[in-house]
C-alpha cells in the first residue's frame, strides 16, 4: 500500500526549503561594465559617450540642479556578505561629466 500523505509531506517540505533559500537574497539594479569606469574623464566625457559605454542608467535624478545618472548592482543575502557596486555620474548643463563617484565592496582593485 502506498503512503500518499508521505509524498505530499515531502513535496511540501521541498517547497518550504526552496522558498527559504530564495527568500534569503535579493538583487537590485543591473550589471554595468565596471572595467570601463576609468574611461570617464571629468570635463571631457559627454552624456552620449557615457550612454554608449554603460547603457541606460538604472536611476536618474538631480543633485543641486544637475542631472545625475546612477549605475548600480546590489546583492543582499542573509547567508553571505552583501555585495554592492555603484557609479554615480553628475553632468553639467552641456551634458559633460562634472563629477563621478564609484564605490564597490569587491576589493579586487
Amino acid at each position: 500500500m502506498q503512503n500518499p500523505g508521505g509524498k505530499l509531506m515531502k513535496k511540501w517540505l521541498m517547497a518550504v526549503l526552496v522558498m527559504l533559500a530564495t527568500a534569503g537574497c535579493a538583487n537590485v539594479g543591473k550589471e554595468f561594465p565596471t572595467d570601463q569606469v576609468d574611461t570617464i574623464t571629468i570635463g571631457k566625457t559627454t552624456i552620449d559617450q557615457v550612454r554608449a559605454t554603460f547603457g541606460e542608467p538604472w536611476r536618474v535624478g538631480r543633485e543641486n540642479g544637475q542631472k545625475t545618472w546612477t549605475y548600480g548592482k546590489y546583492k543582499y543575502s542573509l547567508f553571505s556578505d552583501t555585495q554592492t557596486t555603484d557609479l554615480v555620474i553628475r553632468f553639467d548643463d552641456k551634458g559633460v561629466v562634472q563629477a563621478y563617484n564609484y564605490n564597490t565592496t569587491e576589493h579586487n582593485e
Side-chain angles (χ1 to χ4, degrees), residues 1-7:
M1 183 169 185
Q2 292 183 344
N3 182 356
K7 285 185 178 182

Side-chain angles (χ1 to χ4, degrees), residues 57-70 88-91:
W58 175 58
R59 294 184 326 172
V60 297
R62 295 194 97 46
E63 180 180 338
N64 297 323
Q66 295 178 310
K67 183 181 293 191
T68 61
W69 284 9
T70 301
V88 179
I89 305 171
R90 187 172 55 224
F91 299 95

